Amino acid sequence: MSLLSLNNIEVVYDRVFLAVKGVSIEVPESGLVGLLGANGAGKSTVLKAISGLLKPERGLVTRGDIAFQGASIADLDPPQRVRLGIVHVLEGRRVFGHLTPAENMLAATSMHRDRAKTRELMDKMFALFPRLADRAKAKAGYLSGGEQQMLAIARALMTEPKLILLDEPSLGLAPFLVDEIFETIKRINQETGVGILLVEQNAAAALDIAHSAYLIENGRVVMSGPAEVMRSNPDVQDAYLGGAQKVDYHAVKHYRRRKRWLA
């Protein structure tokens, strides 16, 4: 049984704009799945449909169904989905800048009544992210971008989720921090068995850690498969991985590659 299953969902904004068009996605138990695509392709909208965060942006799932552990969650509000085990790390990190890392993590533990358990979870997060332990007394607004991303992930893990939705964790980070963040994501998946659906424009980094991936363009899934198969596909290489072969654009008067999956 899949942990998460999207079956032919469509998402409309303002009852007019069709942003997601018949998307079907599967995240297996303990799976790490990448959702790739260019900016504006509909990746973040898919995550918000899963976590229930479409309504504040006047979005609505108008067709299809979303199932979590075999049961439909279409009628559940966001807090109910969190209690089921779905947590969403939004693009841009969104930490509470006026609170310390510990206070940020504590804010995500309203479902835990046991203070000892909360303390144990926080100790695990500081062990997983030593940088946060070093900056434990600093306000989160003064942390670096990479440290804020670590804090956003740690705060999500405080809910003891079964599925983490990660939206652009590499956004705005230096390359060495991107490597560190992605290595941590891989460790979390391997050591805890938490399922991860990773939205990422950095296709190379995502395919290095993902088990499988979906490629979305213009609101539609145009390709899917194991990560190694996606990585070796020449169209994916040319469009998202820097090119399967070098092209001398100076020697070409008018160059336009048509992606074969759109033909």
Side-chain angles (χ1 to χ4, degrees):
M1 182 178 67
S2 295
L3 179 63
L4 175 76
S5 178
L6 275 66
N7 182 25
N8 200 33
I9 68 162
E10 292 187 351
V11 176
V12 173
Y13 284 106
D14 291 321
R15 300 185 181 276
V16 175
F17 176 65
L18 183 60
V20 171
K21 310 163 187 175
V23 166
S24 296
I25 290 174
E26 298 268 345
V27 179
E29 293 280 352
S30 303
L32 204 172
V33 178
L35 184 57
L36 314 177
N39 191 34
K43 307 183 302 298
S44 295
T45 296
V46 170
L47 293 196
K48 290 173 183 175
I50 298 166
S51 62
L53 296 181
L54 285 172
K55 190 173 181 181
E57 298 180 355
R58 302 192 299 277
L60 183 67
V61 177
T62 57
R63 182 180 175 184
D65 189 40
I66 302 171
F68 183 68
Q69 294 186 313
S72 175
I73 59 172
D75 296 329
L76 302 183
D77 59 26
Q80 289 174 311
R81 300 186 194 201
V82 172
R83 284 192 286 272
L84 279 179
I86 301 172
V87 66
H88 189 169
V89 180
L90 293 164
E91 179 184 344
R93 298 176 275 278
R94 314 284 183 93
V95 299
F96 300 119
H98 62 291
L99 301 179
T100 66
E103 290 167 340
N104 266 271
M105 287 187 275
L106 190 62
T109 60
S110 60
M111 72 283 293
H112 301 316
R113 303 299 180 187
D114 186 344
R115 290 187 179 182
K117 182 178 181 61
T118 299
R119 184 69 253 176
E120 180 186 347
L121 285 170
M122 199 171 295
D123 289 342
K124 286 181 179 179
M125 294 307 106
F126 282 133
L128 184 63
F129 299 100
R131 288 183 185 220
L132 297 183
D134 295 339
R135 304 294 305 278
K137 295 183 180 179
K139 300 296 185 185
Y142 292 101
L143 302 181
S144 69
E147 290 165 346
Q148 289 186 0
Q149 186 63 68
M150 293 173 191
L151 177 55
I153 296 172
R155 184 176 60 187
L157 288 170
M158 290 292 289
T159 67
E160 294 189 296
K162 298 181 179 72
L163 173 68
I164 302 177
L165 310 175
L166 281 175
D167 196 352
E168 302 283 5
S170 73
L171 185 68
L173 301 184
F176 77 95
L177 283 175
V178 172
D179 292 342
E180 185 175 342
I181 290 292
F182 275 80
E183 185 59 35
T184 302
I185 293 169
K186 183 178 179 180
R187 280 181 54 208
I188 290 168
N189 174 252
Q190 291 177 337
E191 295 176 8
T192 68
V194 173
I196 296 174
L197 180 56
L198 170 66
V199 158
E200 184 56 61
Q201 286 192 57
N202 187 339
L207 289 174
D208 278 344
I209 66 169
H211 306 149
S212 60
Y214 293 80
L215 177 59
I216 186 169
E217 288 201 354
N218 300 319
R220 299 181 186 276
V221 172
V222 296
M223 189 181 298
S224 64
E228 60 272 16
V229 174
M230 297 283 284
R231 192 186 302 112
S232 63
N233 183 283
D235 289 317
V236 173
Q237 290 179 358
D238 283 349
Y240 296 98
L241 300 178
Q245 56 187 357
K246 292 183 179 179
V247 178
D248 183 3
Y249 292 98
H250 293 290
V252 182
K253 186 175 182 180
H254 297 293
Y255 178 86
R256 179 175 179 268
R257 179 181 180 88
R258 179 169 177 80
K259 296 166 186 171
R260 281 192 278 271
W261 59 76
L262 297 180

